[in-house]
Amino acid sequence: MQKSLHIDPVKCTGCLQCEMACSFENYGVFNISKSRIKVFNFEHEGRMVPYTCTQCFDAWCLNACPVEAIKIDAATGAKVVHEATCVGCKVCTIACPFGTVNYVAETGKVQKCDLCGGDPACATACPTGAITYVDADWTGLDKMRSWAGRTDTQARVSA
Amino acid sequence: MGWTRKILRVDLTKGTCQSEPLNMELAQQYLGQRGLATKYFVDEVDPKVDPLSAANKLIMATGPLTGTPASTGGRYSVITKGALTGAIACSNSGGYFGAELKFAGWDMVIFEGRSAKPVYLAIENDRAELRDAAHLWGKTVWQTEEIIKKSHQDPQTRVCSIGRAGENGVLYACIVNDLHRAAGRSGVGAVMGSKNLKAVAVRGTQGVAGIKDAKAFMKAATAAKKALADNAVTGQGLPTYGTQVLMNVINEMGALPTRNHRDVQFEDARKISAEAMREKRPTDGKAQLVTNAACFGCTIACGRISKIDESHFSVVNKPEYWGASGGLEYEAAWALGAANGVGDLEALQYANLVCNEDGYDPISFGATVGAAMELYDLGILTKEQIGMEAPFGSALALTKLAEMTAQGVGFGKELGLGSKRLCAKYGRPELSMTVKSQEFPAYDSRGIQGMGLAYATSNRGACHLRGYTVASEVLGIPVKTDPLVTTGKADLVKAFQDATSVFDSAGVCVFTTFAWSLADLQPQLDAACEGDWTMEKLALVGERIWNMERQFNNAAGFTAKDDDLPPRLKTEPAKTGPAKGLVSGIDKMRPEYYQVRGWDAGGVPTKETLARLGL
C-alpha cells in the first residue's frame, strides 16, 4: 500500500516537535532551521498549519532538474534528492509551486521531504495526530468517518 | 551536552558584546537557567543594589533541555533584582524565544550597566550587536516585534521586548516574547527599561547538538511525553480548558480571593471560567476561545488563543484588538476579575490584551486595582483622584485603568507602583495583599493553608510558582493533603520549592510536574547533560538553589518579618465555603518551616545547612 503524509491543521498546537524530529532524523541535531516540514502560525487567526512536500505524482521539481538528481523512491513514492548528483542550481526551487524544496547553503544542495524511507519522523513525533502517515488513497477517511457519524440515521437497538 | 557552553556578556554602558565560556564547574552545581544564572548574579551583584540603577544586572538564561524535544523544552528565565520587590527575581517564560536563543548558541545573556540611549540587542548566531532603538521607544510590544521583523527582513526572528509599561517605570512591567508569552512577575521589565534596553531579537540556526547520549535521551523524552499524555491534568484538563480549569474548582473550595481578599468566593466565578470561554456568546454566536496552543516543544498545550467580542464596549472601533490573541489564563482571569469583583469576561480579555500589548503583569495590576477599589469603597480614594468612579465590579473602571497604566497617565501612574506603595501612600498599608511587595496570585491562604506558607517564604515575593502545593492540597498530586490544616505543610512546601527549583533550572515547564516527579526529569537530564545526574544530586541542587536565593534576600535586608502575610489573612476569617471561620496558620507553620529548612529562628540558614549544601 502506498502511504502519504496527511496533515490536519485543526489539531496542530504549534509545538514544533515535528521540526525537531525532522532535523534530528536527517542531520542528527535538534535544529528547526534544518527541518523539511515547517509549522506556520497565523497568529491573528489562531491557526497553526504544518506544511511540507506532498510528493506530487507528476513532480515539478523532478521534471525541472537538469541533472536528474531527484528520483522516485519505488517503495514509498517519495521524490528524493540525491545529494551526490545535485549541483545546487536551484531550478527545482523555482519549479515547485509550493515552496517545499529549498536550498541549503551549508551543503550547496537542495533538500526536501523524503518520507524518511517510509517511517516519517514528524508523524511519529506529533503529539496530537495533526501529522499522520496513512493510506495514500484514503487520506480523507477520518473526515469521512466524522461526517458519516453526523448523519441522522438512528442507531438500531438490538433486542 | 545540553549546554552550549557560551555566555554573551553585554555591557550597555560601553556598548560592547563579548563571548565568554560558561563555567562548567558551576553548571554541575546549579544546572542551568534559574539556578545557574542566579549563581552568576549573586556572585556579581551587590545585594543592596538599587534594582533600577546601572549597577543591577539582568540575565536571560536557558536551561540544558531548552531547544531539545524534551516536552516543554523551550523555557528561558530572566534573573535580576526585582523592581517591585527588591528581592531576587526570576521570571520564566515559554513561547519560542528561549529555544531560539539556545539555537543561536548561547546558554545565557548577561546585561550590565545602562545605555545612554535606547538600544536593542540583535543576535544572529555568534554575532551580537547593540543597535539604536530610538524608533522603537514608545512603541508597544506588538509594534516592536513587527517593526524588528520587517527591518531585519526575517520573519523567523524571535523577539522579546518591553512595552510602554517597562519604559514608564511600571514596577511590575514584564518582558514579553512571541506577542503574548511573558517573563511576567517582579518587574523584570522595569529593570530592562531602566537600562534603556528595548528588545532582544534573535535568530539561531545552529540547533542543539552533542546530546550526551542521544538514543537514551530520545527514549527518556518519549517515555516522559507518554506520562504527560496519560495524565488527566496534562493530557486532558489543561489542553481542553487551560489553567482556567481551576476557576470553578478553587471557587468551590472557598479559596478564590475576591474583592481584595474580603471574600473567598466570587458569585460570578462561573461567568469568567474556562467553561464560559467555550460557550457561544449571544452577541455574535462565537465562543471567546478559538483554540489551544503550545509553547516550543510542549506536548501539553495549555495556552489559550481567544477572540474578543467585537461589539464589547472596550473594543468598539478598535479593530487592532479583534484578531486572535493570547488569553485568558487562570491567574490573569482571577486578578482582573475576582480580585476586583468584575464578572465581565470580555472586559477581562481586553485588560489582558492591554497587559500583553504594553508588557505588564496582569496579576499585580489586577490585584492593585482591587486594592484601589477597596480604598475607593472606604472613601479614602475619591472619584476625582482616580479620574472616574471605581467601585468593586466596575468593568469600565478596570478597562480604563488598564489603558492609563499602559500609557503612564493620570491615576495609572500610581497603579503602576503596585498595591504596597499605593496602600502605604494612602495610609492603609495593611490593605495591600502582598508578600515582599508582590501581589498574591489566585489562591486564598485561608482555604489552602500550604499556599500561605509558600507565599510567605517565596524568594521572589508572593507567588504560586515557587511551591505549588495546590497540586497536593487540591488535586492530590503526588498525594492528597487536607487544604484546611497546617500539619505537615512545612515539609510539603519545602519539597515543592526544592523540586521546582530543579525544573526551573532544566529548561522545562513547571506544569509538567502535574504528571512528572524528579524521577521523570532525571533520566532526560542524565542522558542530555555531561556529568552524572542522579536523583540525589538533583535533590541537592534544588535545595542549594533555594538557599542561595534566600541568602541573597537576607543580605539585601529581608528578615523573618518579611516571611509574613497581611493581617487580613490572619485575623479576618473566611466568610463562606469549606474554609468558613478559618484564618491562615502562617505563624504556626513558619517556625516549623525554618526548622525543616535547617534555618535558625530568624530564617537564616545555619552553618551546618550551608556546609551540607556546599554554599
Side-chain angles (χ1 to χ4, degrees):
Chain A
M1 178 198 0
Q2 185 100 353
K3 291 176 104 178
S4 113
L5 274 179
H6 181 56
I7 287 167
D8 184 354
V10 172
K11 292 181 180 164
C12 179
T13 61
C15 74
L16 310 190
Q17 285 283 352
C18 55
E19 297 193 19
M20 277 185 283
C22 181
S23 67
F24 188 66
E25 174 74 22
N26 292 297
Y27 297 96
V29 291
F30 304 122
N31 186 352
I32 59 173
S33 73
K34 291 193 163 168
S35 174
R36 297 161 183 185
I37 186 165
K38 200 88 198 127
V39 177
F40 293 88
N41 193 339
F42 299 91
E43 278 116 358
H44 300 294
E45 300 165 38
R47 284 200 310 136
M48 286 144 283
V49 185
Y51 201 75
T52 188
C53 174
T54 52
Q55 315 294 348
C56 308
F57 178 76
D58 194 1
W60 280 268
C61 60
L62 182 149
N63 292 331
C65 180
V67 294
E68 296 186 8
I70 300 176
K71 295 189 163 67
I72 299 173
D73 179 330
T76 63
K79 313 301 174 292
V80 179
V81 177
H82 289 251
E83 281 209 0
T85 315
C86 175
V87 294
C89 72
K90 311 178 200 70
V91 169
C92 57
T93 69
I94 300 167
C96 173
F98 307 106
T100 52
V101 55
N102 284 284
Y103 183 63
V104 183
E106 199 178 313
T107 58
K109 317 283 181 184
V110 297
Q111 69 164 359
K112 66 178 289 302
C113 171
D114 60 4
L115 295 177
C116 297
D119 183 13
C122 56
T124 308
C126 179
T128 63
I131 307 164
T132 49
Y133 191 53
V134 298
D135 184 341
D137 290 351
W138 286 102
T139 52
L141 196 67
D142 276 349
K143 270 186 205 161
M144 283 173 79
R145 182 184 291 114
S146 151
W147 285 103
R150 291 197 216 178
T151 54
D152 59 0
T153 45
Q154 292 286 317
R156 264 167 294 189
V157 182
S158 56
Chain B
M1 64 187 175
W3 303 274
T4 68
R5 297 173 174 240
K6 265 174 36 193
I7 292 178
L8 178 63
R9 190 176 289 273
V10 179
D11 187 324
L12 292 159
T13 308
K14 292 184 194 149
T16 57
C17 299
Q18 281 192 313
S19 171
E20 60 184 69
L22 183 73
N23 184 327
M24 290 307 291
E25 262 178 55
L26 292 182
Q28 287 295 321
Q29 294 166 51
Y30 295 93
L31 192 52
Q33 203 173 343
R34 173 176 166 186
L36 189 54
T38 304
K39 175 60 179 166
Y40 269 85
F41 186 82
V42 302
D43 282 353
E44 295 184 14
V45 178
D46 176 1
K48 301 271 188 201
V49 73
D50 173 354
L52 298 177
S53 70
N56 194 9
K57 298 190 184 187
L58 182 141
I59 305 179
M60 294 180 181
T62 62
L65 297 185
T66 305
T68 74
S71 186
T72 77
R75 313 294 301 189
Y76 77 105
S77 289
V78 180
I79 287 85
T80 187
K81 183 171 174 176
L84 182 68
T85 56
I88 191 76
C90 172
S91 296
N92 185 308
S93 182
Y96 302 97
F97 179 85
E100 197 73 21
L101 185 60
K102 187 79 170 279
F103 291 155
W106 304 101
D107 287 314
M108 59 174 100
V109 185
I110 302 177
F111 294 97
E112 48 195 38
R114 171 189 277 154
S115 174
K117 57 182 180 55
V119 290
Y120 77 100
L121 177 67
I123 299 173
E124 190 188 325
N125 292 329
D126 298 334
R127 288 187 309 179
E129 62 178 25
L130 289 167
R131 294 185 187 167
D132 181 60
H135 62 300
L136 300 173
W137 207 253
K139 297 283 193 264
T140 68
V141 164
W142 297 349
Q143 291 166 336
T144 299
E145 183 165 332
E146 191 182 344
I147 293 168
I148 288 177
K149 283 181 174 176
K150 269 195 188 143
S151 69
H152 286 208
Q153 298 185 324
D154 183 0
Q156 300 193 76
T157 293
R158 302 290 184 187
V159 178
C160 76
S161 67
I162 55 167
R164 289 176 295 180
E167 297 175 10
N168 294 337
V170 171
L171 290 181
Y172 44 81
C174 310
I175 299 170
V176 182
N177 56 280
D178 304 294
L179 301 176
H180 45 75
R181 307 306 314 184
R185 302 223 68 193
S186 311
V188 296
V191 174
M192 186 158 156
S194 75
K195 298 192 173 304
N196 269 324
L197 177 64
K198 179 66 180 176
V200 179
V202 59
R203 180 79 201 283
T205 61
Q206 302 181 111
V208 173
I211 291 289
K212 187 176 79 179
D213 182 344
K215 203 174 161 191
F217 175 72
M218 291 308 273
K219 195 178 161 200
T222 303
K225 281 176 195 165
K226 184 166 188 311
L228 291 172
D230 291 346
N231 180 279
V233 177
T234 51
Q236 292 162 28
L238 285 175
T240 309
Y241 294 110
T243 52
Q244 271 273 63
V245 69
L246 286 167
M247 184 64 76
N248 288 318
V249 175
I250 302 297
N251 192 49
E252 287 298 310
M253 289 192 63
L256 190 72
T258 301
R259 289 175 283 268
N260 205 34
H261 287 66
R262 277 182 173 177
D263 299 297
V264 294
Q265 290 184 308
F266 182 38
E267 61 282 1
D268 283 341
R270 175 83 187 60
K271 290 188 191 166
I272 61 169
S273 67
E275 290 80 355
M277 287 170 68
R278 299 173 68 89
E279 277 164 17
K280 286 181 181 171
R281 295 180 286 234
T283 44
D284 61 0
K286 291 176 191 160
Q288 190 185 74
L289 182 70
V290 174
T291 186
N292 67 327
C295 296
F296 183 93
C298 175
T299 56
I300 304 172
C302 76
R304 302 292 93 182
I305 302 294
S306 298
K307 272 189 188 173
I308 199 164
D309 179 351
E310 295 172 15
S311 68
H312 189 260
F313 74 82
S314 59
V315 292
V316 171
N317 300 322
K318 293 183 194 167
E320 64 270 31
Y321 296 103
W322 293 353
S325 195
L328 284 159
E329 316 291 340
Y330 172 60
E331 300 298 335
W334 163 80
L336 300 167
N340 311 309
V342 177
D344 178 343
L345 185 70
E346 302 300 328
L348 307 193
Q349 174 62 1
Y350 174 68
N352 187 67
L353 290 172
V354 174
C355 286
N356 287 339
E357 182 185 27
D358 263 308
Y360 60 98
D361 174 14
I363 302 180
S364 282
F365 167 73
T368 303
V369 171
M373 285 181 171
E374 179 157 12
L375 290 169
Y376 178 83
D377 187 67
L378 295 170
I380 296 166
L381 275 172
T382 64
K383 181 184 165 188
E384 289 67 37
Q385 282 168 309
I386 298 177
M388 69 196 80
E389 289 178 358
F392 279 123
S394 172
L396 184 63
L398 172 74
T399 54
K400 289 283 168 211
L401 291 172
E403 292 167 0
M404 288 160 71
T405 301
Q407 294 158 15
V409 298
F411 191 68
K413 278 188 203 161
E414 299 198 32
L415 286 176
L417 301 178
S419 86
K420 178 74 181 264
R421 290 163 177 88
L422 180 79
C423 293
K425 177 174 176 182
Y426 292 99
R428 297 298 296 273
E430 78 283 3
L431 293 181
S432 168
M433 295 298 123
T434 50
V435 172
K436 298 179 180 73
S437 305
Q438 178 156 289
E439 290 73 13
F440 289 112
Y443 313 89
D444 198 287
S445 311
R446 292 164 290 197
I448 307 176
Q449 291 284 331
M451 283 311 287
L453 181 61
Y455 292 151
T457 59
S458 158
N459 287 329
R460 69 166 183 175
C463 172
H464 56 295
L465 294 169
R466 303 291 99 164
Y468 193 67
T469 62
V470 172
S472 168
E473 296 178 278
V474 180
L475 304 169
I477 300 167
V479 287
K480 183 78 173 77
T481 52
D482 184 348
L484 301 179
V485 305
T486 58
T487 316
K489 295 299 161 63
D491 288 290
L492 189 70
V493 167
K494 176 184 181 291
F496 270 87
Q497 288 173 337
D498 291 350
T500 303
S501 300
V502 177
F503 279 83
D504 284 348
S505 302
V508 298
C509 175
V510 73
F511 285 4
T512 57
T513 60
F514 289 116
W516 293 356
S517 68
L518 271 186
D520 297 279
L521 182 63
Q522 182 269 336
Q524 301 182 73
L525 282 172
D526 192 49
C529 305
E530 74 176 28
D532 198 14
W533 292 89
T534 62
M535 289 290 287
E536 294 72 28
K537 179 170 167 177
L538 286 173
L540 206 60
V541 165
E543 191 175 359
R544 183 181 296 132
I545 292 167
W546 191 266
N547 280 269
M548 164 177 65
E549 294 173 342
R550 177 75 182 188
Q551 281 185 295
F552 179 86
N553 284 351
N554 284 346
F558 289 94
T559 67
K561 274 187 225 147
D562 300 299
D563 294 342
D564 205 358
L565 302 176
R568 170 165 287 168
L569 301 178
K570 303 205 290 180
T571 59
E572 296 178 25
K575 292 174 192 161
T576 60
K580 187 177 176 182
L582 280 186
V583 294
S584 168
I586 180 63
D587 291 329
K588 182 171 178 297
M589 291 184 282
R590 189 188 311 103
E592 292 170 6
Y593 171 84
Y594 286 175
Q595 200 168 13
V596 169
R597 276 262 170 235
W599 297 351
D600 67 20
V604 178
T606 62
K607 273 183 189 162
E608 294 74 34
T609 301
L610 294 178
R612 184 171 59 80
L613 297 172
L615 285 166

